[in-house]
Amino acid sequence: SQQGEEDPQALSIQEGENATMNCSYKTSINNLQWYRQNSGRGLVHLILIRSNEREKHSGRLRVTLDTSKKSSSLLITASRAADTASYFCATDPHNTDKLIFGTGTRLQVFP
Amino acid sequence: GAVVSQHPSWVICKSGTSVKIECRSLDFQATTMFWYRQFPKQSLMLMATSNEGSKATYEQGVEKDKFLINHASLTLSTLTVTSAHPEDSSFYICSVFAGEVWNEQFFGPGTRLTVL
């Protein structure tokens, strides 16, 4: 399977703490993206990082990409209860328009 | 970005019936759409690539005769689950590929299928 893996599978933290999720993938990529999904709902696009970028910020989100290790991390700073959701990384392998999703991390932020 | 809708948002059907799910790109002409399936507490798995005016391309292990895809226009793709069985119960999500413009996919809200 081409599917990427994420860890941890589940993460529980208190409001105000930072949350870090890691993603590993298997093939060479054009971009890596992070998505958020509330339970039973559709996907929300969070951030895209290109293969030639190493770090990107968007508000409380910080994404890193290490193509030599085929890995990425998503850091959510100063978490809020509303950040409770599942987070998925997704990669688009070279020469395809497909997205391959990681296994996801379920984040629970307690007030 | 592109706005994508799905209909219905949820459906319950009896085993053996066929169910059609629509995916519409409301403001973008999409030559390529994707269909994903998501089982509870699992990730999205790509089922097929829907190409306007031609046959869909299915991922390995996905039965093309079971999951019929029609992409007859630039704004509509349909997924028909034929002779549905309880194991087909899942969350089906479509996406529109807008790579030429925005270099990303835009996702529909999903359709929850429950087969009794």
Side-chain angles (χ1 to χ4, degrees), chain B residues 2-116:
Chain B
V3 179
V4 183
S5 70
Q6 282 184 240
H7 178 80
S9 55
W10 59 270
V11 56
I12 301 173
C13 69
K14 291 182 179 179
S15 187
T17 60
S18 294
V19 175
K20 180 186 285 188
I21 302 170
E22 294 184 348
C23 175
R24 290 186 184 274
S25 177
L26 300 182
D27 56 357
F28 182 82
Q29 295 194 319
T31 55
T32 303
M33 295 185 182
F34 298 94
W35 286 97
Y36 297 84
R37 180 168 53 181
Q38 184 180 31
F39 292 109
K41 296 189 177 175
Q42 293 188 26
S43 186
L44 280 74
M45 296 299 293
L46 179 64
M47 298 175 67
T49 304
S50 173
N51 304 297
E52 188 268 334
S54 65
K55 290 183 180 180
T57 305
Y58 291 82
E59 294 300 300
Q60 194 171 10
V62 178
E63 300 173 60
K64 62 179 192 244
D65 296 328
K66 170 81 172 171
F67 300 99
L68 301 179
I69 292 173
N70 185 287
H71 192 155
S73 78
L74 291 171
T75 59
L76 174 64
S77 174
T78 60
L79 169 68
T80 301
V81 183
T82 61
S83 187
H85 291 283
E87 58 265 30
D88 299 321
S89 298
S90 188
F91 195 52
Y92 292 86
I93 304 175
C94 71
S95 72
V96 165
F97 177 65
E100 302 88 356
V101 179
W102 290 291
N103 195 30
E104 65 177 276
Q105 292 184 25
F106 296 92
F107 287 82
T111 295
R112 182 158 305 282
L113 170 64
T114 301
V115 184
L116 302 177

Side-chain angles (χ1 to χ4, degrees), chain A residues 23-111:
Chain A
C23 164
S24 61
Y25 56 92
K26 298 181 180 179
T27 65
S28 297
I29 61 171
N30 298 313
N31 309 296
L32 185 143
Q33 302 178 61
W34 285 90
Y35 289 86
R36 168 199 166 116
Q37 184 182 36
N38 285 66
S39 181
R41 307 288 290 274
L43 293 175
V44 175
H45 183 259
L46 295 177
I47 196 166
L48 178 151
I49 186 166
R50 301 184 192 286
S51 60
N52 62 355
E53 296 177 310
R54 292 296 166 258
E55 187 171 313
K56 202 162 183 179
H57 297 253
S58 177
R60 294 185 294 115
L61 305 180
R62 173 177 167 254
V63 169
T64 63
L65 178 64
D66 186 336
T67 52
S68 67
K69 295 181 180 178
K70 291 187 169 60
S71 67
S72 175
S73 68
L74 170 67
L75 168 66
I76 304 174
T77 60
S79 64
R80 305 166 181 167
D83 294 329
T84 295
S86 290
Y87 292 83
F88 297 94
C89 65
T91 54
D92 57 339
H94 277 324
N95 302 319
T96 78
D97 299 326
K98 300 178 185 179
L99 277 182
I100 307 298
F101 281 82
T103 49
T105 294
R106 292 192 306 278
L107 173 66
Q108 174 85 51
V109 182
F110 292 100

